[in-house]
Amino acid sequence: MPVLSIIACEMLEDELAYVLSEDHDLNQLIVVENRQSFRFVRKLKSRNCQPRLFPLDKVPIFLKEANNSVYNSVYSSVSVNILKFLLKFPFFKKIPHNSRGKSKEKNKEKPIVVVNTLKLGLHADCELLRSEIYQNIRKMATFSDGILIFYGNCGHSLRNTAVDFKDLPCSLYFLKDENGEIVDDCISVALGGNDNYAEVMQSGKGIGMIYLTPMWASSWKKMRMESNNTSDFNDSFLKKHYRKVVKINNKISKRDEFDKNVLNYSQTFDMSITEMEGSMEIASKSYLNAKNDVCKKVVLN
């Protein structure tokens, strides 16, 4: 049974909730239980997506039981002794497609997706961010056929990930734009790719602009408290260098709450507001590419 794991930035939980809730062809959806998972799970449930929650160390146990369940259901009509005997012959090593287990075999090919969301505060330290992601890659690789890194390059902190894990026993996948480039950050994801991001920045004609997605708008106060007054949240720095907030809408945010949060930010730092529509294309295509590739590889094996 294919297993696709996703290590995700909490800042991208809207995009991830959207693509997972749109996928009606999963065997199981598992969310790793941690402090970040509860809001994410609420968003999934609000879109009629019902995940199962497990601590990370319990996920391999569940997956083993799930695989055993599929195996037993497929072969339940054949006694163990007869099956062992028949499997000695090449002809019987694979159950024919017209066997009684056909529907179960189809279900077996549907993937299990395991999502592990990591906390926002990791962005304050690129080394810490990389270390935490790498640690989770190693842990999740033990039970995964592929891992989708649901992050951008994040200040180039993850630019060497593919090279650093070239010998990993499972495949790594990344959020990529139409040019095949890993996206710069979560804003690039929301705007549909690095080229679109650059185009929007150039349209400002030198005016400093801050980009707010619904998650950014709802999280900036918390991040400000944890930032030790870095330039990202320093009042005097922001007021001096930035004049405009770019409000990036998405398909699943609560509009009234988003409006309120953006207005609060703009008033705090004396900025005007401009608005544009975001995109789920990067998230959707990257997820489907990873999922389809993992399923294909498992079937071929």
Side-chain angles (χ1 to χ4, degrees), residues 73 107 117 124 126 163 166 208:
S73 64
N107 190 51
T117 53
C126 288
V163 175
K166 64 181 185 299

Side-chain angles (χ1 to χ4, degrees), residues 71-85:
Y71 181 88
N72 290 335
S73 64
V74 172
Y75 298 107
S76 60
S77 62
V78 184
S79 71
V80 174
N81 290 333
I82 293 177
L83 180 61
K84 287 181 178 179
F85 175 76

Side-chain angles (χ1 to χ4, degrees), residues 5-7 56 116 118 129-144 146-149 151 158 160-162 164-165 168-174:
S5 290
I6 302 175
I7 298 174
L56 183 56
N116 187 5
L118 305 185
L129 173 64
R130 178 167 53 247
S131 174
E132 191 72 16
I133 291 174
Y134 278 24
Q135 180 181 346
N136 279 278
I137 288 174
R138 294 186 184 98
K139 288 180 179 178
M140 301 182 79
T142 61
F143 57 75
S144 305
I147 301 175
L148 172 59
I149 309 301
Y151 276 81
L158 302 177
N160 295 321
T161 305
D164 292 341
F165 286 97
L168 199 71
C170 69
S171 301
L172 287 183
Y173 304 92
F174 300 89

Side-chain angles (χ1 to χ4, degrees), residues 55-73:
L56 183 56
D57 61 346
K58 302 298 182 185
V59 172
I61 299 173
F62 170 80
L63 294 176
K64 183 177 180 180
E65 292 176 350
N67 272 315
N68 288 339
S69 175
V70 170
Y71 181 88
N72 290 335
S73 64

